[in-house]
Amino acid sequence: MARIAQAARVSGRPTSAVRLVAVSKTHTAQAVAQLAACGQRHFGESRAQEGVAKIAVMPDAAFEWHFLGPVQRNKARLIARHFHWLHSLEGLDAAEALSRHAHAADTTLRVLIEVNVTADPRKHGLSAAALPAFLEAYCTRAWPGLRLSGLMTMAAHGAPESAARATFARLRELAADCRRAFGLAGFDELSMGMSDDYHWAIAEGATMVRIGRALFGARDIG
């Protein structure tokens, strides 16, 4: 948190503008509980069933759980009913399933659209070019149970500072363009930056950084 605060100050931003999401996927519930005892409240998981199992043993309402992986339709019910945030929306079919389950559970899931800014074929997410058409289609329908809140991306693995910052800056620009073009209220979240590049992401406007290895060490399992 001190490092995040320093990165925010250097960028002329308040520390409160950046939320730390501890990426606890593959780590034990005990490790998560130890971090929670230090005051951490936001946790990220990429596997629905694994995340739900941890949520069950950590039911404190003060915790917020973020789902980071691709949305499989057969897992949409678990995600909508147990998580507070989704960082990886990339399809209308997934939105329909999530909306239906969230509405049935009388809950609200805050969703971010994943954008593959670098056009990496190994990564999930919409291309930057496809984002406006997706939003146009999304905005023609009501989505009970969903609150569209912003965008998410990842820089290329091992990218130098200039390339990583260009990726993050592009996501910030895309979000601003979308807010103007579609009149999106509350479309302010930028989920970008991980253990190796979060300080550059903060400099480019990240509101959420997803940190796993720097908090938990290497993954416990594959």
Side-chain angles (χ1 to χ4, degrees), residues 8-192:
R9 283 195 296 268
V10 168
S11 305
R13 303 177 63 204
T15 303
S16 60
V18 184
R19 185 183 294 110
L20 169 62
V21 179
V23 181
S24 46
K25 64 180 182 180
T26 78
H27 295 285
T28 65
Q30 181 182 8
V32 175
Q34 289 173 338
L35 194 60
C38 298
Q40 177 61 23
R41 290 296 177 264
H42 291 262
F43 296 94
E45 294 284 331
S46 295
R47 299 170 182 171
Q49 288 169 309
E50 178 186 341
V52 168
K54 292 174 187 173
I55 293 168
V57 298
M58 295 181 62
D60 192 325
F63 299 143
E64 293 195 29
W65 293 87
H66 300 242
F67 191 78
L68 309 175
V71 180
Q72 300 171 325
R73 285 184 65 87
N74 63 344
K75 299 294 191 298
R77 180 178 180 275
L78 290 178
I79 296 168
R81 286 176 175 263
H82 295 279
F83 289 84
H84 303 91
W85 295 82
L86 170 74
H87 291 232
S88 49
L89 183 66
E90 58 177 325
L92 295 176
D93 287 346
E96 189 280 328
L98 291 163
S99 174
R100 176 162 41 85
H101 289 300
H103 183 58
D106 193 25
T107 189
T108 299
L109 179 67
R110 297 187 64 175
V111 298
L112 312 179
I113 300 168
E114 183 172 0
V115 184
N116 187 349
V117 173
T118 60
D120 185 339
R122 298 165 296 181
K123 287 191 172 86
H124 290 275
L126 297 170
S127 69
L131 179 60
F134 177 83
L135 273 171
E136 185 170 0
Y138 185 96
C139 291
T140 61
R141 296 174 55 182
W143 300 95
L146 301 187
R147 184 187 306 167
L148 191 60
S149 299
L151 303 178
M152 183 273 264
T153 199
M154 291 181 282
H157 179 70
E161 178 178 0
S162 59
R165 289 190 63 157
T167 297
F168 300 143
R170 179 60 177 145
L171 192 76
R172 184 187 69 242
E173 293 162 358
L174 285 169
D177 291 343
C178 291
R179 279 194 298 271
R180 287 192 296 268
F182 296 96
L184 298 175
F187 194 77
D188 302 316
E189 300 289 350
L190 294 175
S191 171
M192 54 191 194

